[in-house]
Amino acid sequence: MKRNPSACDLDRLRRSPLLGRVDWHPTLPSTNDFALELAARETLETPLLILADEQTAGRGRGVNRWWSGPGALTLSLVIDPLCIGPIPLRTEHWPRVALCAGVSLCEALIEVAPQVDCGLKWPNDVLISGRKVAGILVEVPPAAPPVPRRLVLGMGVNVNNSLADAPPDIQSAGIALGDATDLEFDATRVVLEWLSRFFRNLQGLAIDDPNLPRSWQSLCRLSGKAIELQAGERRVGGHCRGIDADGALLVETASGLERLFGGTLVRVST
Ligand code: BTN
């Protein structure tokens, strides 16, 4: 039974053959923190999906906080990279899991709302009409044998919440699927559409299928824009030329083409 427009139908999620276990909490500080605790256990049914209707200390990249109002999806998925399907995911692929999740979310949102203009903002944001609809945070718990290696993927998606309730800075940069379309969405369907595409795309990543980088390149909404990034101690400015097959952001600078594997965007031309 729906408690509010955000609540997922747990029975439907638990029937999914893609998931080993589904946990739901009315409120948690952070689904990723909880997922990291569980990921440290030797025995765990994976993939494990953790959902919370409310987070009191949701985390974003670095020191950022994640705001979400009632109606938003806040979830973490714990996966065992050796057991994501017939082909295991080698460690060299792990840094591209967030992009893979972002591509999958774009595909899922386009499936449920074909009218939206959905794209990626490297490295971990999903945009609708240039505004942030979702953020992704992948964390790798430290190796602790005999505990199997696991990845924790956290994702916040503005589905049926309204950014009208958000602090002003988030309001101007963010968007919710419901606000963008004036419709209410079946949050469970959004999760299931995302999961099926995510596990399929992870298999693509595992076999270096060239279609996956083609997808993130065509979804990259920074392409062609003048951008500036803080990459460690360096400020890098230039024109974005997309995202390459290794997941690096391509920036054409005055001194040549740079491939950036990390960094924070500090300016994007409109
Ligand atoms: C970002 O935009 O910087 C990433 C945001 C990730 C937010 C999600 S919400 C569910 C999960 N739990 C958290 O504390 N963070 C992630």
Side-chain angles (χ1 to χ4, degrees), residues 92-116:
E92 73 205 61
H93 293 120
W94 297 0
R96 282 169 277 174
V97 168
L99 269 176
C100 185
V103 167
S104 311
L105 185 64
C106 288
E107 293 170 347
L109 294 180
I110 292 165
E111 175 68 28
V112 301
Q115 65 274 46
V116 298

Side-chain angles (χ1 to χ4, degrees), residues 29-33 50 55 57-62 64-68 73-76 124-125 132 134-137 139 153-157:
S30 152
T31 56
N32 259 39
D33 287 347
I50 301 164
Q55 290 189 129
R59 293 188 291 110
R61 280 180 84 216
N64 295 340
R65 291 266 170 214
W66 177 255
W67 173 90
S68 61
L73 268 174
T74 45
L75 61 86
S76 296
N124 68 332
D125 291 352
K132 181 161 172 170
I136 293 161
L137 179 65
E139 297 184 294
L153 184 146
M155 193 164 78
V157 192

